[in-house]
mmCIF file of all heavy atoms in Angstrom:
data_model
loop_
_atom_site.group_PDB
_atom_site.id
_atom_site.type_symbol
_atom_site.label_atom_id
_atom_site.label_comp_id
_atom_site.label_asym_id
_atom_site.label_seq_id
_atom_site.Cartn_x
_atom_site.Cartn_y
_atom_site.Cartn_z
ATOM 1 N N ASN A 1245 -116.720 -5.144 -80.874
ATOM 2 C CA ASN A 1245 -115.840 -5.534 -79.876
ATOM 3 C C ASN A 1245 -116.318 -5.078 -78.462
ATOM 4 O O ASN A 1245 -115.560 -5.233 -77.464
ATOM 5 C CB ASN A 1245 -114.419 -4.983 -80.144
ATOM 6 C CG ASN A 1245 -114.406 -3.526 -80.196
ATOM 7 O OD1 ASN A 1245 -115.386 -2.740 -79.837
ATOM 8 N ND2 ASN A 1245 -113.280 -2.937 -80.579
ATOM 9 N N GLN A 1246 -117.534 -4.607 -78.359
ATOM 10 C CA GLN A 1246 -118.128 -4.100 -77.109
ATOM 11 C C GLN A 1246 -117.497 -2.903 -76.539
ATOM 12 O O GLN A 1246 -117.656 -2.639 -75.403
ATOM 13 C CB GLN A 1246 -118.206 -5.288 -76.072
ATOM 14 C CG GLN A 1246 -119.018 -6.510 -76.501
ATOM 15 C CD GLN A 1246 -120.415 -6.118 -77.053
ATOM 16 O OE1 GLN A 1246 -121.213 -5.396 -76.383
ATOM 17 N NE2 GLN A 1246 -120.789 -6.492 -78.253
ATOM 18 N N LYS A 1247 -116.745 -2.175 -77.280
ATOM 19 C CA LYS A 1247 -116.109 -0.981 -76.826
ATOM 20 C C LYS A 1247 -116.924 0.196 -77.373
ATOM 21 O O LYS A 1247 -117.468 0.169 -78.400
ATOM 22 C CB LYS A 1247 -114.647 -0.803 -77.352
ATOM 23 C CG LYS A 1247 -113.750 -1.843 -76.704
ATOM 24 C CD LYS A 1247 -112.283 -1.616 -77.192
ATOM 25 C CE LYS A 1247 -111.421 -2.636 -76.498
ATOM 26 N NZ LYS A 1247 -109.971 -2.499 -76.925
ATOM 27 N N ASP A 1248 -117.056 1.267 -76.483
ATOM 28 C CA ASP A 1248 -117.878 2.411 -76.849
ATOM 29 C C ASP A 1248 -116.935 3.573 -77.342
ATOM 30 O O ASP A 1248 -115.832 3.779 -76.789
ATOM 31 C CB ASP A 1248 -118.622 2.923 -75.575
ATOM 32 C CG ASP A 1248 -119.620 2.015 -75.039
ATOM 33 O OD1 ASP A 1248 -120.193 1.241 -75.928
ATOM 34 O OD2 ASP A 1248 -119.879 2.004 -73.816
ATOM 35 N N TYR A 1249 -117.457 4.259 -78.384
ATOM 36 C CA TYR A 1249 -116.700 5.289 -79.023
ATOM 37 C C TYR A 1249 -117.693 6.518 -79.182
ATOM 38 O O TYR A 1249 -118.740 6.443 -79.635
ATOM 39 C CB TYR A 1249 -116.164 4.964 -80.374
ATOM 40 C CG TYR A 1249 -115.052 3.966 -80.339
ATOM 41 C CD1 TYR A 1249 -115.284 2.576 -80.203
ATOM 42 C CD2 TYR A 1249 -113.734 4.416 -80.292
ATOM 43 C CE1 TYR A 1249 -114.201 1.726 -80.084
ATOM 44 C CE2 TYR A 1249 -112.645 3.495 -80.217
ATOM 45 C CZ TYR A 1249 -112.910 2.195 -80.102
ATOM 46 O OH TYR A 1249 -111.880 1.317 -80.000
ATOM 47 N N LEU A 1250 -117.091 7.738 -78.792
ATOM 48 C CA LEU A 1250 -117.736 8.965 -79.001
ATOM 49 C C LEU A 1250 -117.298 9.497 -80.387
ATOM 50 O O LEU A 1250 -116.146 9.607 -80.592
ATOM 51 C CB LEU A 1250 -117.374 9.993 -77.923
ATOM 52 C CG LEU A 1250 -117.813 11.404 -78.079
ATOM 53 C CD1 LEU A 1250 -119.361 11.498 -78.163
ATOM 54 C CD2 LEU A 1250 -117.250 12.286 -76.934
ATOM 55 N N LEU A 1251 -118.242 9.854 -81.298
ATOM 56 C CA LEU A 1251 -117.943 10.315 -82.553
ATOM 57 C C LEU A 1251 -117.710 11.808 -82.593
ATOM 58 O O LEU A 1251 -118.587 12.597 -82.110
ATOM 59 C CB LEU A 1251 -119.038 9.945 -83.494
ATOM 60 C CG LEU A 1251 -119.476 8.486 -83.598
ATOM 61 C CD1 LEU A 1251 -120.605 8.208 -84.529
ATOM 62 C CD2 LEU A 1251 -118.285 7.629 -83.927
ATOM 63 N N LEU A 1252 -116.500 12.268 -82.888
ATOM 64 C CA LEU A 1252 -116.102 13.637 -82.674
ATOM 65 C C LEU A 1252 -116.185 14.477 -83.990
ATOM 66 O O LEU A 1252 -116.540 15.590 -83.792
ATOM 67 C CB LEU A 1252 -114.619 13.667 -82.225
ATOM 68 C CG LEU A 1252 -114.362 12.947 -80.858
ATOM 69 C CD1 LEU A 1252 -112.904 12.854 -80.595
ATOM 70 C CD2 LEU A 1252 -115.093 13.678 -79.697
ATOM 71 N N GLU A 1253 -115.824 13.988 -85.071
ATOM 72 C CA GLU A 1253 -115.712 14.820 -86.286
ATOM 73 C C GLU A 1253 -115.857 13.941 -87.548
ATOM 74 O O GLU A 1253 -115.661 12.735 -87.417
ATOM 75 C CB GLU A 1253 -114.337 15.557 -86.268
ATOM 76 C CG GLU A 1253 -114.330 16.694 -87.288
ATOM 77 C CD GLU A 1253 -115.306 17.735 -87.018
ATOM 78 O OE1 GLU A 1253 -115.182 18.568 -86.046
ATOM 79 O OE2 GLU A 1253 -116.262 17.800 -87.875
ATOM 80 N N GLU A 1254 -116.162 14.522 -88.610
ATOM 81 C CA GLU A 1254 -116.259 13.724 -89.922
ATOM 82 C C GLU A 1254 -115.736 14.492 -91.048
ATOM 83 O O GLU A 1254 -115.669 15.659 -90.998
ATOM 84 C CB GLU A 1254 -117.778 13.349 -90.179
ATOM 85 C CG GLU A 1254 -118.637 14.461 -90.474
ATOM 86 C CD GLU A 1254 -120.080 14.106 -90.648
ATOM 87 O OE1 GLU A 1254 -120.394 12.871 -90.832
ATOM 88 O OE2 GLU A 1254 -120.908 14.973 -90.831
ATOM 89 N N VAL A 1255 -115.218 13.775 -92.028
ATOM 90 C CA VAL A 1255 -114.771 14.330 -93.301
ATOM 91 C C VAL A 1255 -115.231 13.404 -94.373
ATOM 92 O O VAL A 1255 -115.490 12.258 -94.184
ATOM 93 C CB VAL A 1255 -113.256 14.497 -93.380
ATOM 94 C CG1 VAL A 1255 -112.778 15.463 -92.372
ATOM 95 C CG2 VAL A 1255 -112.533 13.187 -93.327
ATOM 96 N N GLU A 1256 -115.328 14.020 -95.566
ATOM 97 C CA GLU A 1256 -115.622 13.256 -96.789
ATOM 98 C C GLU A 1256 -114.418 13.255 -97.671
ATOM 99 O O GLU A 1256 -113.707 14.216 -97.850
ATOM 100 C CB GLU A 1256 -116.832 13.798 -97.470
ATOM 101 C CG GLU A 1256 -118.074 13.059 -97.371
ATOM 102 C CD GLU A 1256 -119.199 13.462 -98.309
ATOM 103 O OE1 GLU A 1256 -119.012 13.420 -99.532
ATOM 104 O OE2 GLU A 1256 -120.228 13.750 -97.761
ATOM 105 N N MET A 1257 -114.170 12.099 -98.268
ATOM 106 C CA MET A 1257 -112.999 11.938 -99.283
ATOM 107 C C MET A 1257 -113.474 10.957 -100.329
ATOM 108 O O MET A 1257 -113.829 9.832 -99.958
ATOM 109 C CB MET A 1257 -111.753 11.388 -98.434
ATOM 110 C CG MET A 1257 -110.565 11.367 -99.420
ATOM 111 S SD MET A 1257 -109.070 10.812 -98.485
ATOM 112 C CE MET A 1257 -109.384 9.048 -98.284
ATOM 113 N N ASN A 1258 -113.346 11.356 -101.469
ATOM 114 C CA ASN A 1258 -113.723 10.501 -102.650
ATOM 115 C C ASN A 1258 -115.183 9.877 -102.513
ATOM 116 O O ASN A 1258 -115.283 8.673 -102.673
ATOM 117 C CB ASN A 1258 -112.681 9.410 -102.824
ATOM 118 C CG ASN A 1258 -111.251 9.863 -103.073
ATOM 119 O OD1 ASN A 1258 -111.130 10.894 -103.671
ATOM 120 N ND2 ASN A 1258 -110.238 9.231 -102.643
ATOM 121 N N SER A 1259 -116.078 10.681 -102.120
ATOM 122 C CA SER A 1259 -117.472 10.187 -101.900
ATOM 123 C C SER A 1259 -117.586 9.162 -100.793
ATOM 124 O O SER A 1259 -118.578 8.533 -100.793
ATOM 125 C CB SER A 1259 -118.107 9.708 -103.192
ATOM 126 O OG SER A 1259 -117.994 10.696 -104.206
ATOM 127 N N ARG A 1260 -116.625 9.150 -99.918
ATOM 128 C CA ARG A 1260 -116.724 8.246 -98.736
ATOM 129 C C ARG A 1260 -116.665 9.174 -97.473
ATOM 130 O O ARG A 1260 -116.028 10.205 -97.526
ATOM 131 C CB ARG A 1260 -115.619 7.281 -98.763
ATOM 132 C CG ARG A 1260 -115.653 6.345 -99.970
ATOM 133 C CD ARG A 1260 -114.330 5.648 -100.244
ATOM 134 N NE ARG A 1260 -113.811 4.905 -99.159
ATOM 135 C CZ ARG A 1260 -112.455 4.546 -99.057
ATOM 136 N NH1 ARG A 1260 -111.664 4.937 -100.014
ATOM 137 N NH2 ARG A 1260 -112.051 3.873 -98.013
ATOM 138 N N ARG A 1261 -117.465 8.667 -96.499
ATOM 139 C CA ARG A 1261 -117.458 9.410 -95.215
ATOM 140 C C ARG A 1261 -116.654 8.793 -94.147
ATOM 141 O O ARG A 1261 -116.701 7.455 -93.984
ATOM 142 C CB ARG A 1261 -118.936 9.508 -94.786
ATOM 143 C CG ARG A 1261 -119.210 10.393 -93.549
ATOM 144 C CD ARG A 1261 -120.649 10.497 -93.376
ATOM 145 N NE ARG A 1261 -120.883 10.651 -91.935
ATOM 146 C CZ ARG A 1261 -121.828 9.978 -91.245
ATOM 147 N NH1 ARG A 1261 -122.592 9.172 -91.765
ATOM 148 N NH2 ARG A 1261 -121.952 10.269 -89.996
ATOM 149 N N PHE A 1262 -115.801 9.537 -93.411
ATOM 150 C CA PHE A 1262 -115.013 9.041 -92.329
ATOM 151 C C PHE A 1262 -115.238 9.777 -91.080
ATOM 152 O O PHE A 1262 -115.588 10.984 -91.076
ATOM 153 C CB PHE A 1262 -113.538 9.191 -92.782
ATOM 154 C CG PHE A 1262 -113.125 8.362 -93.967
ATOM 155 C CD1 PHE A 1262 -113.237 8.924 -95.255
ATOM 156 C CD2 PHE A 1262 -112.713 7.076 -93.793
ATOM 157 C CE1 PHE A 1262 -112.907 8.237 -96.343
ATOM 158 C CE2 PHE A 1262 -112.325 6.344 -94.970
ATOM 159 C CZ PHE A 1262 -112.395 6.910 -96.142
ATOM 160 N N VAL A 1263 -115.201 9.046 -89.956
ATOM 161 C CA VAL A 1263 -115.426 9.717 -88.645
ATOM 162 C C VAL A 1263 -114.229 9.432 -87.699
ATOM 163 O O VAL A 1263 -113.635 8.461 -87.770
ATOM 164 C CB VAL A 1263 -116.704 9.140 -88.001
ATOM 165 C CG1 VAL A 1263 -117.952 9.589 -88.733
ATOM 166 C CG2 VAL A 1263 -116.780 7.652 -87.771
ATOM 167 N N TYR A 1264 -114.006 10.464 -86.922
ATOM 168 C CA TYR A 1264 -112.875 10.517 -85.989
ATOM 169 C C TYR A 1264 -113.605 10.271 -84.651
ATOM 170 O O TYR A 1264 -114.524 10.899 -84.256
ATOM 171 C CB TYR A 1264 -112.190 11.822 -86.032
ATOM 172 C CG TYR A 1264 -111.014 12.106 -85.126
ATOM 173 C CD1 TYR A 1264 -109.979 11.260 -85.116
ATOM 174 C CD2 TYR A 1264 -111.070 13.123 -84.167
ATOM 175 C CE1 TYR A 1264 -108.871 11.501 -84.251
ATOM 176 C CE2 TYR A 1264 -110.032 13.389 -83.313
ATOM 177 C CZ TYR A 1264 -108.901 12.538 -83.297
ATOM 178 O OH TYR A 1264 -107.807 12.825 -82.573
ATOM 179 N N ALA A 1265 -113.083 9.348 -83.903
ATOM 180 C CA ALA A 1265 -113.694 8.947 -82.591
ATOM 181 C C ALA A 1265 -112.725 8.701 -81.529
ATOM 182 O O ALA A 1265 -111.505 8.418 -81.793
ATOM 183 C CB ALA A 1265 -114.500 7.660 -82.880
ATOM 184 N N VAL A 1266 -113.287 8.784 -80.265
ATOM 185 C CA VAL A 1266 -112.379 8.499 -79.102
ATOM 186 C C VAL A 1266 -113.191 7.415 -78.334
ATOM 187 O O VAL A 1266 -114.401 7.422 -78.213
ATOM 188 C CB VAL A 1266 -112.172 9.713 -78.230
ATOM 189 C CG1 VAL A 1266 -113.458 10.298 -77.718
ATOM 190 C CG2 VAL A 1266 -111.252 9.471 -77.125
ATOM 191 N N ARG A 1267 -112.394 6.466 -77.866
ATOM 192 C CA ARG A 1267 -112.987 5.364 -76.938
ATOM 193 C C ARG A 1267 -113.337 6.043 -75.712
ATOM 194 O O ARG A 1267 -112.629 6.805 -75.121
ATOM 195 C CB ARG A 1267 -112.035 4.181 -76.738
ATOM 196 C CG ARG A 1267 -112.816 2.967 -76.144
ATOM 197 C CD ARG A 1267 -111.862 1.744 -76.132
ATOM 198 N NE ARG A 1267 -110.935 1.783 -75.154
ATOM 199 C CZ ARG A 1267 -111.125 1.479 -73.879
ATOM 200 N NH1 ARG A 1267 -112.314 1.181 -73.440
ATOM 201 N NH2 ARG A 1267 -110.164 1.421 -73.004
ATOM 202 N N VAL A 1268 -114.517 5.682 -75.123
ATOM 203 C CA VAL A 1268 -114.971 6.187 -73.798
ATOM 204 C C VAL A 1268 -115.262 4.967 -72.897
ATOM 205 O O VAL A 1268 -115.527 3.847 -73.312
ATOM 206 C CB VAL A 1268 -116.258 7.071 -73.971
ATOM 207 C CG1 VAL A 1268 -115.967 8.338 -74.705
ATOM 208 C CG2 VAL A 1268 -117.374 6.346 -74.567
ATOM 209 N N LEU A 1269 -115.091 5.278 -71.614
ATOM 210 C CA LEU A 1269 -115.371 4.212 -70.549
ATOM 211 C C LEU A 1269 -116.843 4.175 -70.309
ATOM 212 O O LEU A 1269 -117.616 5.008 -70.854
ATOM 213 C CB LEU A 1269 -114.644 4.593 -69.293
ATOM 214 C CG LEU A 1269 -113.038 4.825 -69.485
ATOM 215 C CD1 LEU A 1269 -112.427 5.244 -68.180
ATOM 216 C CD2 LEU A 1269 -112.412 3.439 -69.946
ATOM 217 N N GLU A 1270 -117.316 3.186 -69.498
ATOM 218 C CA GLU A 1270 -118.695 3.067 -69.186
ATOM 219 C C GLU A 1270 -119.337 4.371 -68.719
ATOM 220 O O GLU A 1270 -120.518 4.657 -68.989
ATOM 221 C CB GLU A 1270 -118.952 1.896 -68.234
ATOM 222 C CG GLU A 1270 -118.669 0.564 -68.829
ATOM 223 C CD GLU A 1270 -118.994 -0.532 -67.768
ATOM 224 O OE1 GLU A 1270 -119.728 -0.329 -66.844
ATOM 225 O OE2 GLU A 1270 -118.479 -1.661 -67.995
ATOM 226 N N ASP A 1271 -118.615 5.112 -67.932
ATOM 227 C CA ASP A 1271 -119.141 6.436 -67.433
ATOM 228 C C ASP A 1271 -118.957 7.520 -68.403
ATOM 229 O O ASP A 1271 -119.164 8.729 -68.081
ATOM 230 C CB ASP A 1271 -118.543 6.760 -66.106
ATOM 231 C CG ASP A 1271 -117.093 7.077 -66.167
ATOM 232 O OD1 ASP A 1271 -116.507 6.973 -67.256
ATOM 233 O OD2 ASP A 1271 -116.435 7.431 -65.140
#
Side-chain angles (χ1 to χ4, degrees):
N1245 62 7
Q1246 300 307 307
K1247 293 183 180 181
D1248 295 330
Y1249 287 85
L1250 171 62
L1251 306 179
L1252 300 172
E1253 195 57 76
E1254 67 182 349
V1255 296
E1256 253 191 58
M1257 182 178 77
N1258 300 328
S1259 300
R1260 296 164 54 203
R1261 184 172 152 229
F1262 297 89
V1263 294
Y1264 180 60
V1266 61
R1267 191 171 77 79
V1268 294
L1269 303 176
E1270 286 184 22
D1271 65 356

